[in-house]
Amino acid sequence: MTPTARANGDAHGAAGRALPAPRTPSPRDAPALSWGVIAPGRIAARFAEALLAHTAQRVVAVGSRDAARARAFADRFGIPAAYGSYAELLDDPSVDIVYIASPHSGHFDQALRAIETGRHVLLEKAFTRNAREAGQLIEAAHERGVFLMEAMWTRFLPHIDVIRQVLDSGTLGEVRTVIADHGLYAQPDAAHRLYAPELAGGALLDLGIYPLSFASMVLGPFASVTAVGTKTFTGVDGQASIVVTGESGAHGVLNTTLFARTPTTASISGTRARLEIEGHFYGPAAVRLIGRDHELIDRYVPTRRDGGLCYEAAEAARCIAAGQRESELMPLDETLRLMHVLDDIRRDLGVAFPGE
């Protein structure tokens, strides 16, 4: 077959194409909510940029422990209200939903307070420090009747919907191997959040959650998890290599590290064909379908590679408008299950955070 390259245009693809077009709705069509941003750092800035550029969502308030920092963020993005505390933001009646972008160590307290005030919550990954905290948040959200979702933005991107459709179609045959990695070089510094135990630092929660979540999406619940790793000079995990098995017996081979910049690629190999995600698998990316004889069968190319965080916000908005309290694309039971996996890996590596 002659390889083709196309972008996400028509809703369902065309007959004869080996790779389908994504079914992902336009983020701009999602019902508009009024958002409050907690912890205006780098990832929060990317989130605000994506919402302003690609959605109808409104960012109406930002909260920080530093009032000047909140004001600078508000001025940068044209946000009406800036608060010098998270409590003040949660007292603002104009806020429908909060996006929490703080270090992992702050996720539980900040999300719980938001839930208790009746706010919907989009909570950055990794969801919490551990499964105990995750379970308590999920229980609180259920009791209060609010929407709660882990901000695993990858799950909502168009190329991931292409992959889901291919997996459902059986095009790959029986999936046998998933490979994914995420590593970067972080300069050793005890004050850096990735090296700080008190901020729940380390490679696993910040980077390793991506390949683990990807493997879970493909393989389903893990039947077994085996990990080896190396700790940093501060005692957090610096590198981990993980082998998981799915209930079918398929393997996932996963790696994460703070010690080197890795390709951050991913592939899914089956008995008939394989999928390769080009470049950073966790962001907007192209996907190639490769046959058993290594021939390129088809290629999907996204129309846009920037602003990928808009898709998770749009998903939250659609779910809330529909009266749903969680997303089918990133369900809370899977978030909790992966937090248990992260706990087990950290325990095997001898890594614990203060106060656990």
Side-chain angles (χ1 to χ4, degrees):
M1 179 184 295
T2 302
T4 63
R6 67 182 174 282
N8 52 332
D10 58 296
H12 301 291
R17 288 174 172 171
L19 287 180
R23 303 160 298 186
T24 311
S26 169
R28 198 170 294 279
D29 294 338
L33 298 180
S34 295
W35 292 75
V37 173
I38 285 180
R42 180 183 60 85
I43 189 65
R46 289 179 55 200
F47 183 79
E49 288 171 352
L51 263 60
L52 290 172
H54 304 298
T55 77
Q57 307 302 307
R58 302 179 297 266
V59 183
V60 299
V62 55
S64 173
R65 291 173 295 184
D66 182 333
R69 190 178 187 191
R71 173 45 57 194
F73 191 92
D75 291 345
R76 177 180 174 184
F77 295 107
I79 299 170
Y83 298 109
S85 73
Y86 305 142
E88 288 179 279
L89 182 145
L90 293 175
D91 285 337
D92 186 335
S94 70
V95 174
D96 299 322
I97 181 171
V98 294
Y99 169 66
I100 299 175
S102 57
H104 310 114
S105 55
H107 286 186
F108 175 74
D109 287 341
Q110 293 153 14
L112 184 61
R113 290 172 188 167
I115 290 167
E116 289 172 344
T117 64
R119 297 313 197 286
H120 306 294
V121 176
L122 178 61
L123 182 57
E124 258 305 332
K125 53 80 197 162
F127 198 64
T128 50
R129 295 186 305 169
N130 52 51
R132 175 181 57 80
E133 292 179 345
Q136 290 179 26
L137 285 186
I138 292 169
E139 183 179 353
H142 285 162
E143 290 177 354
R144 197 65 173 82
V146 299
F147 177 85
L148 175 64
M149 186 175 81
E150 180 183 0
M152 177 49 70
W153 66 302
T154 307
R155 290 290 180 102
F156 312 104
L157 296 174
H159 77 285
I160 295 297
D161 186 65
V162 171
I163 291 171
R164 285 193 188 95
Q165 293 182 70
V166 171
L167 292 172
D168 289 343
S169 73
T171 299
L172 302 184
E174 184 181 356
V175 172
R176 300 309 306 166
T177 305
V178 176
I179 299 174
D181 83 281
H182 191 357
L184 56 76
Y185 176 74
Q187 183 70 35
D189 179 356
H192 193 291
R193 69 175 183 85
L194 290 177
Y195 284 92
E198 67 275 12
L199 297 179
L204 277 167
L205 293 190
D206 205 79
L207 308 176
I209 184 61
Y210 282 111
L212 278 166
S213 184
F214 181 76
S216 176
M217 184 193 76
V218 177
L219 301 177
F222 302 146
S224 67
V225 180
T226 304
V228 295
T230 304
K231 292 194 282 188
T232 70
F233 69 100
T234 59
V236 300
D237 55 281
Q239 180 161 327
S241 295
I242 307 156
V243 176
V244 301
T245 61
E247 293 177 350
S248 69
H251 290 188
V253 182
L254 317 171
N255 179 263
T256 186
T257 183
L258 301 179
F259 301 146
R261 184 169 292 280
T262 65
T264 62
T265 55
S267 63
I268 305 168
S269 297
T271 53
R272 296 177 184 165
R274 73 177 182 271
L275 289 174
E276 296 179 346
I277 304 178
E278 300 177 12
H280 302 315
F281 76 90
Y282 53 87
V287 177
R288 292 185 294 173
L289 178 65
I290 310 293
R292 268 194 304 221
D293 295 328
H294 304 293
E295 75 278 15
L296 175 61
I297 299 172
D298 203 358
R299 185 169 180 257
Y300 160 78
V301 181
T303 55
R304 187 176 67 237
R305 295 181 185 264
D306 65 334
L309 295 176
C310 67
Y311 291 97
E312 63 182 2
E315 171 71 5
R318 285 191 296 269
C319 289
I320 291 166
Q324 299 171 224
R325 295 299 172 249
E326 61 182 287
S327 167
E328 294 179 358
L329 299 181
M330 190 67 244
L332 291 172
D333 62 349
E334 185 171 7
T335 288
L336 180 59
R337 187 167 62 245
L338 287 170
M339 290 307 309
H340 278 293
V341 171
L342 289 165
D343 284 357
D344 291 343
I345 294 171
R346 285 197 296 116
R347 185 161 43 249
D348 288 346
L349 302 186
V351 174
F353 303 129
E356 283 194 306

